[in-house]
Structures are given as structure tokens and as C-alpha cells.
Amino acid sequence: RGKPLLVAVKPGGKGNVTDSHVEWEFNKGIPEVPSPILHDNRVYMVSNGGVLTCVDAGKGEMVYRTRLGGLGQYVASPVVAGNNLILTSEEGLISVVQTGDEFKALGQFEMGESVQVTPALGKETFYVRGKNNLWAFGSAKR
């Protein structure tokens, strides 16, 4: 319909289920490129310019919306590790935010180069692919 939407649709049904199966629609802070992520009944989305929006997945209502800080666009999708939301800007700024109903920034780290790819999570390792480097973060094996 020409506007970006986050839509919750009940499974099942046949044919046009617009009237019978759409639970809710939300149209604020919808990202152009990064995918939203669902964690503990909350949908997290980061849009261009670093605006983080948290939506209650059951009701379709905004829980909070805030700017992460830093410059640049966001093309990498957010990832969740434990109860931490990890967001990566195109400029290489990694922000770690605690998941939940209140925004709580845990820290930020500058990678020093452009990052345009969603970070990957291994069993005990966090991978970030920059323009020129691939980093692997984890605890040292003893």
C-alpha cells in the first residue's frame, strides 16, 4: 500500500485473509534494509540513522523508540546473544543493548571500518565481517 509496515498475521486461512487474520499493523521506525528480530515477545528494529524501536509482539504497540548514537546507516540486521541485542552500523559502530521493556545501552565499540553484513554467532564466538577484515570474538581456550 506504499508505506512500510510490520504486520502480525495469524497462521491458517485461505484466500484473502486481510480482514480475518491480520492481528495488528505497526508503521513507525520500519527499517528499509535490516530485518526485524523477535526475542521474548518483543520485536526489535533498527532504521536508518540508528533509531531503535521495540514493539510488543502480542499487541503491536511500541514499547520504546530511541536513537543509538553515532553516525551512519544500518544495513546489517540485529542479532541477539543471550539477553543482549547487538546492532551494527554501516560506519562500523557496534552497539550492545539489553533486551526488555526499557532501553538500556550496555556499550558501544568502533570497528574502525565499514560493516555492511549482519554479524554471525557461533557457539562461543561472535563474527564481524568488515570491509577489509573478518573478526572473531570469544573467550580464549585454556
Side-chain angles (χ1 to χ4, degrees):
R1 294 183 284 196
K3 64 179 180 178
L5 285 173
L6 179 66
V7 181
V9 180
K10 292 185 264 184
K14 292 184 179 184
N16 186 344
V17 295
T18 303
D19 294 331
S20 62
H21 284 67
V22 173
E23 280 289 315
W24 51 259
E25 294 181 354
F26 187 85
N27 67 352
K28 293 180 177 79
I30 308 299
E32 293 178 23
V33 178
S35 299
I37 190 164
L38 174 69
H39 178 72
D40 284 344
N41 203 42
R42 298 292 178 258
V43 178
Y44 298 93
M45 305 176 285
V46 63
S47 59
N48 284 340
V51 177
L52 175 64
T53 304
C54 175
V55 176
D56 182 309
K59 300 175 185 176
E61 298 172 356
M62 183 167 26
V63 177
Y64 68 79
R65 186 173 184 198
T66 191
R67 189 168 299 281
L68 292 170
L71 302 173
Q73 305 301 316
Y74 282 73
V75 294
S77 297
V79 295
V80 172
N83 288 319
N84 297 323
L85 181 67
I86 304 167
L87 306 120
T88 307
S89 79
E90 194 171 15
E91 297 293 319
L93 177 67
I94 295 179
S95 301
V96 181
V97 174
Q98 185 174 317
T99 59
D101 290 343
E102 294 182 21
F103 175 77
K104 182 176 181 185
L106 300 176
Q108 291 186 316
F109 182 77
E110 277 286 346
M111 297 304 295
E113 67 182 66
S114 177
V115 177
Q116 298 182 0
V117 180
T118 300
L121 300 170
K123 186 174 179 181
E124 296 180 8
T125 309
F126 175 67
Y127 299 93
V128 178
R129 174 70 173 109
K131 182 177 180 183
N132 299 309
N133 294 287
L134 172 65
W135 293 278
F137 300 95
S139 59
K141 302 242 181 197
R142 294 180 192 240

